Amino acid sequence: MSVIVRNSYGAIAVNKGVIERMIIEDMLSMDSVLMLSDKRGKPIKEKPTPIIDPDYYDSVEVSEKKDQVKVKIYIVVKNGNNISETADKIFETVEKDFDMLRLRKPAVINVKIRGVSGDMNGVIVKRNIDIVRNNN
């Protein structure tokens, strides 16, 4: 799947994997606020390697249907951080990635909060919160 935009200069095609990788790198830079997780809420532990672990691709989904791009991001919020502020940062970051590529903003950005990390013991309190931004 590619996201394709046509303008007076020609057509731009961006592979879905490229967009997902950009989003993952941005989310990893927000490691003081959140952890990426899989769909069930299991955090994906950060590994200090120069290559992005394939497990991270379970935490971000980019899909395109009828010329509308949808983005889903699965996270666990770290204790002491405001959930709505965290979601706003994610929305802005994803929209910046699309702007950088000169693509339209995604029609829907869905942040799926699957848990909140508790204390220092690494205990995660399960949550099932969806925060959605629609850009129509």
Side-chain angles (χ1 to χ4, degrees):
M1 182 211 83
S2 294
V3 178
I4 299 175
V5 175
R6 296 185 191 284
N7 59 25
S8 61
Y9 299 110
I12 300 171
V14 181
N15 188 312
K16 170 183 108 149
V18 171
I19 296 172
E20 288 177 347
R21 183 179 176 105
M22 289 174 64
I23 293 170
I24 290 168
E25 287 177 356
D26 288 339
M27 295 302 108
L28 290 175
S29 70
M30 297 173 69
D31 63 346
S32 63
V33 178
L34 60 89
M35 294 180 282
L36 291 171
S37 74
D38 62 11
K39 294 176 185 175
R40 292 173 285 138
K42 181 181 174 194
I44 301 170
K45 301 295 182 197
E46 186 172 351
K47 297 172 180 71
T49 60
I51 310 166
I52 289 186
D53 190 333
D55 290 342
Y56 286 126
Y57 288 98
D58 291 341
S59 63
V60 176
E61 293 178 10
V62 176
S63 61
E64 180 186 23
K65 290 183 183 171
K66 299 180 184 176
D67 293 333
Q68 288 192 335
V69 178
K70 296 181 181 180
V71 177
K72 290 182 188 173
I73 303 171
Y74 297 88
I75 64 167
V76 171
V77 177
K78 290 190 175 178
N79 194 22
N81 293 296
N82 186 316
I83 290 175
S84 61
E85 288 177 8
T86 302
D88 281 338
K89 285 181 191 175
I90 292 170
F91 295 145
E92 291 169 9
T93 303
V94 170
E95 288 173 355
K96 268 192 238 175
D97 286 342
F98 276 76
D99 286 342
M100 186 174 71
L101 296 171
R102 304 277 193 249
L103 298 172
R104 285 188 303 260
K105 292 180 183 178
V108 178
I109 305 171
N110 192 345
V111 176
K112 295 182 171 279
I113 299 162
R114 294 297 178 236
V116 176
S117 66
D119 53 18
M120 295 295 201
N121 297 331
V123 176
I124 295 179
V125 179
K126 295 287 184 183
R127 296 285 183 260
N128 194 7
I129 303 169
D130 290 1
I131 302 175
V132 180
R133 176 176 284 180
N134 292 310
N135 294 317
N136 290 330

